[in-house]
Amino acid sequence: AEQIQKVTKGATTVVAIGPQKYNELYSKMGNLNRMLAWGHGQVIENLAKAYPACPRALSDQFANPRLVEREVERRKLELKIDQRTKAESDIAVAAASILARAAFVEAMENLGDSEPLPKGAGAPVKAVARTMVKEQGAGYLASLCKTHFKTFAEVTETLF
């Protein structure tokens, strides 16, 4: 990711969605693919504003192509959207994927107060989550995780 930023001289954009924003968007949209389309639309809009002469955008096709197309139309962007599966074969999409992953890893490292949070949905995660809820409340846990996931329901239901 650092090398990509260096080579592109920072001519990139990443839309990072933390847990609280994720939960807010999910409650509004109710569908992960719609959320991904919203995020792709935001990145495309950011880049289109920064580089208005660029006539097209390429995106990985993760769902019905109309989802991203509608986002681009809603934002009134005048460019051609190409979508295909395995779009990471294009260096720009591969670079974008690396930048997004780096932002995610950094955000995960910064979550929590003083020590790293375990990842996943197994017993160690549930034990830490239960302790958090007992000590700081369900709202605190909700600020750190996806509340529509089964693990959140299991942890909070067992305590109330």
Side-chain angles (χ1 to χ4, degrees):
E2 288 177 22
Q3 189 65 25
I4 291 167
Q5 289 289 12
K6 190 181 206 181
V7 168
T8 62
K9 296 179 176 71
T12 63
T13 185
V14 174
V15 174
I17 302 170
Q20 291 173 315
K21 184 68 172 179
Y22 175 97
N23 292 330
E24 175 189 325
L25 289 170
Y26 191 85
S27 70
K28 286 180 186 174
M29 297 180 191
N31 179 288
L32 184 56
N33 285 334
R34 284 190 194 116
M35 288 177 56
L36 285 170
W38 174 87
H40 280 66
Q42 187 61 58
V43 166
I44 292 167
E45 180 178 17
N46 292 350
L47 290 170
K49 285 180 179 176
Y51 304 96
C54 183
R56 65 181 274 270
L58 174 63
S59 173
D60 190 51
Q61 184 179 328
F62 55 86
N64 184 327
R66 280 299 298 151
L67 289 172
V68 173
E69 291 166 4
R70 269 182 260 173
E71 276 297 317
V72 170
E73 289 167 7
R74 183 179 71 79
R75 295 162 190 271
K76 297 178 177 35
L77 300 174
E78 298 291 328
L79 48 89
K80 181 173 175 10
I81 300 297
D82 295 320
Q83 297 177 73
R84 65 176 186 239
T85 58
K86 301 191 189 322
E88 291 87 359
S89 63
D90 183 283
I91 193 167
V93 178
S97 181
I98 290 167
L99 292 171
R101 177 68 182 169
F104 170 76
V105 169
E106 182 179 347
M108 287 300 293
E109 289 171 355
N110 293 329
L111 271 181
D113 289 339
S114 58
E115 56 187 85
L117 297 170
K119 295 170 189 69
V125 171
K126 291 176 187 176
V128 170
R130 285 187 183 98
T131 300
M132 285 180 174
V133 172
K134 284 180 187 171
E135 293 176 358
Q136 299 178 55
Y140 178 71
L141 180 61
S143 74
L144 300 173
C145 68
K146 297 172 181 174
T147 57
H148 68 94
F149 277 23
K150 182 179 173 183
T151 304
F152 181 82
E154 288 175 353
V155 168
T156 55
E157 286 173 4
T158 61
L159 296 170
F160 300 107

